[in-house]
Amino acid sequence: MSKTFFAKARRLAAPVLVVGCLLSGCSTAGTDDRGDGPRADSSRVASLQSPDPAASGPADSVDDRRPLIPLDATNDEIEALRKVWGECVAREGGPGYEDGRSVIWKESQNDPKAKKVRTACRSTEPEFFEERQKRTDNATFRDNQRHWYECAKKAGYRLTTPDENGEFGITEVGPNGDFQSPKMTACQREAFSR
């Protein structure tokens, strides 16, 4: 056979092998010599197999693992959750970091250590139900905020005009009280538990 035949055969062999391997769903990706990672060579062929979700790590973020403060939580329950967070902040931050509120204040003052401490304790920082809903389902959050605003307005609260997320404030603390008052919290629970 001629040299030309072998040259043509070699040029066609690689593409034929790649196509055949892709169609059959094979992969040449193996592990390295230690057996704990992909082999570092350029001869690997992409696999058509779906990636293993467990191999890519946890699907949820640190924020999704934070303790959730339910709508009907009592002040004692909220403080118990904040205590665990505060203990983490004190342990990670040391002097000057007595509780969660101190790390938030220091972070707002651009203290470089505060961000590190807060990150280290993020999985213990409690999150109110509404905050989580705003973070994970903003459309529903905005709708619930609108219902809360309407209920509070009907209850006689003097309120600011809601912003683009539906969040509002109290312009005057009247006989009904503030955001912690029974009527306001009842409106909030009604709106967010629909």
Side-chain angles (χ1 to χ4, degrees):
M1 302 221 169
S2 72
K3 290 182 183 180
T4 311
F5 173 79
F6 286 113
K8 286 181 182 176
R10 271 185 279 175
R11 281 191 301 218
L12 291 173
V16 168
L17 287 173
V18 169
V19 170
C21 190
L22 286 173
L23 290 175
S24 67
C26 67
S27 172
T28 62
T31 57
D32 63 8
D33 295 337
R34 295 180 314 256
D36 62 355
R39 195 173 34 218
D41 67 48
S42 59
S43 65
R44 295 185 313 172
V45 177
S47 171
L48 294 177
Q49 299 170 354
S50 298
D52 179 8
S56 62
D60 61 342
S61 70
V62 171
D63 282 333
D64 293 333
R65 294 189 307 268
R66 291 172 59 191
L68 181 64
I69 300 173
L71 286 170
D72 59 351
T74 65
N75 285 337
D76 289 342
E77 292 168 331
I78 294 170
E79 287 310 311
L81 290 170
R82 285 183 175 155
K83 182 180 180 206
V84 172
W85 177 42
E87 289 168 352
C88 179
V89 168
R91 183 175 58 252
E92 294 291 327
Y97 290 86
E98 297 78 32
D99 58 23
R101 292 178 185 104
S102 65
V103 78
I104 290 174
W105 183 82
K106 287 177 183 284
E107 190 176 31
S108 73
Q109 302 301 308
N110 297 317
D111 179 343
K113 182 178 178 181
K115 185 171 183 156
K116 291 177 185 173
V117 171
R118 194 163 184 198
T119 299
C121 295
R122 189 70 173 169
S123 65
T124 63
E125 183 179 345
E127 182 176 36
F128 283 97
F129 175 85
E130 312 89 286
E131 292 171 332
R132 182 164 297 172
Q133 188 177 68
K134 181 180 180 182
R135 183 173 54 78
T136 61
D137 186 359
N138 196 259
T140 302
F141 172 80
R142 286 192 312 265
D143 189 46
N144 290 341
Q145 281 288 129
R146 184 175 52 79
H147 285 284
W148 183 16
Y149 176 82
E150 290 169 0
C151 178
K153 195 96 169 146
K154 286 179 188 172
Y157 289 91
R158 295 178 188 234
L159 309 170
T160 62
T161 303
D163 66 12
E164 65 277 354
N165 282 319
E167 295 176 277
F168 58 91
I170 294 178
T171 59
E172 178 184 318
V173 177
N176 283 340
D178 61 12
F179 274 100
Q180 305 304 313
S181 65
K183 284 184 182 179
M184 182 62 88
T185 55
C187 280
Q188 181 186 30
R189 287 179 182 153
E190 178 187 317
F192 279 89
S193 62
R194 303 177 310 110

